[in-house]
Amino acid sequence: MKERAKGDQSVDDRYSQWKSLVPVLYDWLANHNLVWPSLSCRWGPQLEQATYKNRQRLYLSEQTDGSVPNTLVIANVEVVKPRVAAAEHISQFNEEARSPFVKKFKTIIHPGEVNRIRELPQNSKIVATHTDSPDVLIWDVEAQPNRHAVLGVQSSRPDLVLTGHKDNAEFALAMSPTEPFVLSGGKDRSVVLWSIQDHISSLSTYTALGKSPSPSINSKQSPKVTGNNDKPMDSPSIDPRGVFQGHDATVEDVTFCPSSAQEFCSVGDDSCLILWDARTGSAPVVKVEKAHNADLHCVDWNPHEVNLILTGSADNTIRMFDRRNLTSGGVGSPVHTFEAHSAAVLCVQWSPDKASVFGSSAEDGILNIWDYEKIGKKQEAVGSKGPSNPPGLFFRHAGHRDKVVDFHWNSSDPWTIVSVSDDGESTGGGGTLQIWRMIDLIYRPEDEVIAELDKFKSHILSCGS
């Protein structure tokens, strides 16, 4: 027990130091205490723009202890615009309080806990979820009725059920940026691909007419039970376009090539990274053995530079691969290995704004922001002490006190990030949601920043004296 208390103390010290630096390092920060942990957080559509802030949807979940049902939550967030918030205000928050910037808008009673949420890039009102079952559930969140989460209530009815896995598919989930295709991986070691094109068109037609959705052209009624509700869901279901086999263990994450819904990659507990092409059959195009020295947890494909793929692993590292040169001597040959986390990496994601920038979050409670263009240049990472910073690291977000299970860059507001931690016992249970934007002096070109600061030079010097 003494050792644990010592560990907690260091987390508290780190957190106190971080909180004292908030007015200096951040342009804006909202801290929102969650009653129940959320294993996923995703931005939805931007709803409106005002002078000082924008309103935007945010998708979360509530992973409960069974005393109330598990839910998919649609929230409205007021995203304060850059250079609006006063520095002294953003650090004055109570860790146990809800944020005034985050308001619950709608609750969907989810059949089973929500492990992963992914929105359809072409229409972010359409959302896919993974639970502890073989099926992927598709929701039209605007058309779904708002429900009251009380014990014993029947689950909401998904708009579509995607079948094809032979065992539970709990985490690996992606939606293509080019076409309405869905990708999933599971314990059956397979990667499964669906097109929801027909269903999306019929859904939007019916929603526009104010009618409830009916089965799409290629769907069939599914009487099966998914999750933990007693009654069968009469949602339409569709079969896959393809099932892809090549992993020797559970598939932990999948992602599409940004330029093609037919190309994608997957990572798993077999330490492999596999590239697939649906046009060439169901066998791997390239299988990278020993992509890391442990299980792989996450993967992301660069939307600006389509040859670059990131992987994150239980070996605490992130690796960047070039798909033109993936292996050497039969094993994975990364362009670079990024080392700064002290525990398993859970999530990696490229910035929607700058091709060389990405984020990584881990079980150590840290969300790191990296820029591979900074490798080889003398630098200091902001938010960390000491001169020996890992190459490429330029910002450490240390606002969470337990594992950061998910984060998402905001494509409507590119340097704004939402992150969520499952706080376990360290902070009395529940979870912490943070929406934050580092101060732009950190990431803008150096000459531009110096020119701006130069205008305030005499003022700064007079304050100093």
Side-chain angles (χ1 to χ4, degrees):
M1 285 302 286
K2 278 184 182 167
E3 266 188 35
R4 175 150 178 214
K6 191 172 154 195
D8 285 350
Q9 182 57 37
S10 65
V11 168
D12 288 341
D13 286 350
R14 182 182 82 189
Y15 180 79
S16 303
Q17 184 200 353
W18 169 80
K19 198 169 179 183
S20 70
L21 290 169
V22 166
V24 183
L25 299 180
Y26 294 82
D27 176 74
W28 182 59
L29 179 130
N31 186 91
H32 186 72
N33 178 273
L34 299 165
V35 179
W36 302 108
S38 178
L39 296 186
S40 205
C41 57
R42 300 293 288 187
W43 291 106
Q46 195 175 71
L47 303 174
E48 61 178 288
Q49 297 188 343
T51 312
Y52 299 112
K53 55 191 180 184
N54 299 325
R55 199 141 121 268
Q56 192 166 348
R57 290 266 198 264
L58 182 68
Y59 304 131
L60 302 165
S61 66
E62 292 175 311
Q63 188 191 21
T64 70
D65 60 1
S67 59
V68 288
N70 289 285
T71 65
L72 172 62
V73 174
I74 293 91
N76 284 343
V77 177
E78 305 283 346
V79 181
V80 174
K81 289 188 173 180
R83 300 197 166 202
V84 168
E88 62 271 20
H89 287 161
I90 61 170
S91 56
Q92 292 171 353
F93 61 84
N94 171 2
E95 283 77 9
E96 270 64 64
R98 313 275 175 272
S99 167
F101 297 103
V102 182
K103 296 272 195 295
K104 198 182 272 192
F105 169 72
K106 186 182 279 188
T107 300
I108 291 168
I109 310 290
H110 198 270
E113 60 188 46
V114 181
N115 297 328
R116 188 83 30 117
I117 305 165
R118 289 293 178 263
E119 74 294 341
L120 185 65
Q122 309 89 8
N123 177 359
S124 53
K125 297 195 282 275
I126 305 293
V127 166
T129 57
H130 254 325
T131 182
D132 297 343
S133 94
D135 300 334
V136 177
L137 307 180
I138 304 291
W139 309 87
D140 179 342
V141 295
E142 297 301 318
Q144 282 285 333
N146 186 25
R147 301 286 303 280
H148 190 49
V150 291
L151 188 62
V153 70
Q154 196 179 338
S155 297
S156 298
R157 174 180 171 259
D159 292 278
L160 188 62
V161 177
L162 309 185
T163 61
H165 277 292
K166 302 282 186 277
D167 197 349
N168 284 0
E170 295 171 0
F171 291 102
L173 184 62
M175 292 179 116
S176 167
T178 56
E179 290 178 68
F181 278 37
V182 183
L183 195 61
S184 166
K187 286 184 172 176
D188 58 1
R189 306 174 182 185
S190 61
V191 172
V192 185
L193 176 71
W194 298 266
S195 166
I196 56 170
Q197 174 72 57
D198 295 339
H199 189 82
I200 293 304
S201 50
S202 71
L203 243 181
S204 50
T205 309
Y206 277 89
T207 307
L209 294 170
K211 298 176 182 175
S212 63
S214 75
S216 64
I217 307 155
N218 293 342
S219 63
K220 57 184 188 291
Q221 291 301 107
S222 165
K224 72 164 69 64
V225 178
T226 54
N228 61 0
N229 68 338
D230 301 319
K231 298 206 178 147
M233 293 186 292
D234 54 347
S235 305
S237 74
I238 53 173
D239 295 328
R241 278 178 82 103
V243 178
F244 302 85
Q245 259 133 7
H247 281 285
D248 299 318
T250 299
V251 180
E252 292 289 354
D253 199 14
V254 290
T255 188
F256 281 97
C257 172
S259 57
S260 166
Q262 305 292 334
E263 294 175 73
F264 38 91
C265 64
S266 57
V267 295
D269 291 343
D270 53 4
S271 306
C272 291
L273 161 67
I274 301 182
L275 273 67
W276 312 86
D277 188 330
R279 294 163 300 199
T280 63
S282 58
V285 174
V286 186
K287 183 171 182 176
V288 182
E289 307 269 3
K290 284 200 166 31
H292 283 258
N293 301 319
D295 297 0
L296 273 73
H297 289 159
C298 47
V299 63
D300 197 32
W301 204 314
N302 193 317
H304 305 284
E305 178 49 74
V306 292
N307 289 312
L308 296 181
I309 294 169
L310 287 174
T311 57
S313 166
D315 67 7
N316 308 355
T317 72
I318 300 107
R319 289 187 172 182
M320 183 169 77
F321 289 92
D322 185 322
R323 69 165 168 173
R324 296 163 297 189
N325 186 21
L326 286 163
T327 56
S328 170
V331 297
S333 175
V335 179
H336 191 78
T337 299
F338 300 87
E339 299 179 272
H341 288 291
S342 59
V345 178
L346 300 176
C347 186
V348 289
Q349 200 201 355
W350 291 101
S351 158
D353 189 52
K354 190 166 187 272
S356 59
V357 171
F358 66 90
S360 64
S361 71
E363 288 182 359
D364 58 9
I366 299 287
L367 200 168
N368 285 322
I369 305 295
W370 309 78
D371 184 345
Y372 69 73
E373 283 184 349
K374 292 187 188 296
I375 296 169
K377 296 178 185 171
K378 191 172 178 295
Q379 59 167 73
E380 288 281 327
V382 182
S384 67
K385 290 196 292 187
S388 57
N389 284 311
L393 180 66
F394 79 97
F395 192 88
R396 284 167 70 85
H397 177 68
H400 294 283
R401 286 171 290 172
D402 215 320
K403 54 183 181 288
V404 183
V405 288
D406 201 11
F407 72 92
H408 192 199
W409 296 86
N410 189 344
S411 55
S412 303
D413 191 347
W415 284 88
T416 303
I417 291 173
V418 59
S419 52
V420 69
S421 55
D422 181 350
D423 293 348
E425 285 122 50
S426 62
T427 52
T432 301
L433 175 82
Q434 291 183 335
I435 304 166
W436 53 276
R437 185 192 308 117
M438 70 179 83
I439 196 161
D440 63 15
L441 301 177
I442 294 168
Y443 61 80
R444 278 168 48 214
E446 197 175 326
D447 50 352
E448 207 180 284
V449 171
I450 290 166
E452 184 183 330
L453 292 177
D454 211 42
K455 296 177 196 166
F456 302 101
K457 194 174 181 179
S458 56
H459 174 70
I460 293 165
L461 292 173
S462 66
C463 290
S465 60

